[in-house]
Amino acid sequence: MPIRPQPLHPRSDELEDQAYAWAAARGLVPDGGADRLAASRVVTLATSYYRTAGYAEMAVLARWYVWLLTLDDWFDTAARLPRGVPRPFHEALVRELWPVTAGDAPPEWRNRFARHLRECVAGYRWQAGVRLGAVPVPGVAEYVGWRRRSFGAYPVFDLVEYVERQTFPAALVGCGAARTAVAAASDVMAWTNDVHSLPRDIAAGETGNLAVLVRARDGGSWPEALAEVERMTTARVVDLLRARDALSRAGRQGRLLGTRVTGAVRGAWDWHRDSARYRAPEPVP
């Protein structure tokens, strides 16, 4: 991974504790799930690429990470295709997360963030549909498009502006370099997640995994499928770094956006290797 790791936010432990306690108090985790959530250390995904941000903003960002992860988990375990999100998630969103995050934000940012959030949740639902057989098993290209949105990177990268207390101009967030950086970062993180989730997905008979779909398309072995996913991921890292370099020439805010996006990718890379969430009991067959 050609992106340097960064130290965690100096108050990372506090940020983790308050976010996990908030999720448990709001009913976002099932009975017995609070310890598993804390063991996952998902909040370090956020604290891995913000070193100097204020505690108040980071506390909200940490809760967004927990909300996204626990909602994804809820869709992953739904017995039938859900029509919407459960009440605890909806209430946490509309009563707490949305007001504090979007209350003072410009309308353009609120609209963009809301659209990305809707697309992410639609991606969760689509993946549940694939798992339950309500949606046809996709090809690789279709899966890549849906997975890019369902990983949650788009709303998370919108939150750079909230955490940094800045407003990026439309010319920056809409430029080719920014769009490429966010898409490539999402792909790298989502495909890394698929690789680390593969043992669990194979055991459960899941088809919504890039390595599973690549193997089905190419007819090869698991090592060959994983090698192809690694090749694809490496190519997207190259795309990301080129986009970061282009953003660095777009001024201070462009450099900030490029730094946060690439830092998030490195943080996710390390998190997937270290988190108890992905410690497979046995190797991939």
Side-chain angles (χ1 to χ4, degrees):
M1 167 56 65
I3 301 170
R4 288 184 179 182
Q6 300 295 322
L8 297 178
H9 190 281
R11 299 180 70 179
S12 184
D13 288 347
E14 296 173 65
L15 290 164
E16 285 194 77
D17 290 344
Q18 64 86 30
Y20 305 143
W22 174 81
R26 298 301 176 272
L28 306 187
V29 291
D31 292 342
D35 289 343
R36 289 193 299 274
L37 176 62
S40 76
R41 303 204 66 194
V42 62
V43 169
T44 61
L45 282 170
T47 62
S48 68
Y49 63 103
Y50 288 100
R51 175 70 178 165
T52 59
Y55 180 85
E57 291 80 11
M58 288 298 298
V60 173
L61 179 66
R63 293 181 180 190
W64 273 112
Y65 266 91
V66 166
W67 187 89
L68 288 165
L69 180 79
T70 54
L71 182 59
D72 186 22
D73 284 349
W74 182 84
F75 273 97
D76 278 348
T77 57
R80 59 180 183 274
L81 187 60
R83 299 183 65 180
V85 302
R87 183 172 181 176
F89 289 91
H90 183 263
E91 290 185 349
L93 174 65
V94 301
R95 294 183 179 180
E96 298 186 59
L97 291 176
W98 182 261
V100 72
T101 307
D104 297 327
E108 295 80 5
W109 183 91
R110 288 200 303 268
N111 292 337
R112 170 165 39 96
F113 181 62
R115 182 179 74 252
H116 288 158
L117 199 59
R118 287 193 299 269
E119 290 172 349
C120 176
V121 175
Y124 292 166
R125 187 177 187 274
W126 179 83
Q127 290 190 178
V130 173
R131 175 177 60 82
L132 295 167
V135 174
V137 176
V140 170
E142 182 185 8
Y143 177 80
V144 164
W146 276 103
R147 190 72 172 103
R148 182 177 296 158
R149 296 293 182 173
S150 73
F151 187 75
Y154 279 77
V156 161
F157 291 143
D158 289 333
L159 289 167
V160 171
E161 293 170 77
Y162 167 78
V163 175
E164 300 287 356
R165 289 304 188 193
Q166 297 196 31
T167 299
F168 294 159
L172 173 60
V173 296
C175 75
R179 293 198 307 271
T180 297
V182 171
S186 183
D187 288 347
V188 172
M189 292 189 290
W191 302 348
T192 299
N193 179 270
D194 282 4
V195 168
H196 285 270
S197 300
L198 186 59
R200 183 175 63 196
D201 287 349
I202 291 174
E206 293 274 4
T207 55
N209 181 300
L210 181 60
V212 173
L213 296 171
V214 166
R215 183 173 182 256
R217 180 194 66 186
D218 298 345
S221 64
W222 285 118
E224 289 169 333
L226 288 167
E228 173 60 11
V229 172
E230 181 178 3
R231 183 200 65 76
M232 294 169 65
T233 303
T234 299
R236 290 304 270 159
V237 172
V238 171
D239 293 340
L240 169 62
L241 295 180
R242 286 174 177 165
R244 180 197 62 185
D245 292 345
L247 284 170
S248 72
R249 298 188 289 272
R252 179 179 57 85
Q253 289 186 319
R255 288 192 296 274
L256 175 62
L257 178 59
T259 297
R260 292 292 175 262
V261 170
T262 52
V265 169
R266 177 62 205 227
W269 186 272
D270 292 334
W271 178 73
H272 279 97
R273 292 185 302 170
D274 297 338
S275 176
R277 183 178 172 90
Y278 299 104
R279 290 176 191 156
E282 56 188 21
V284 176

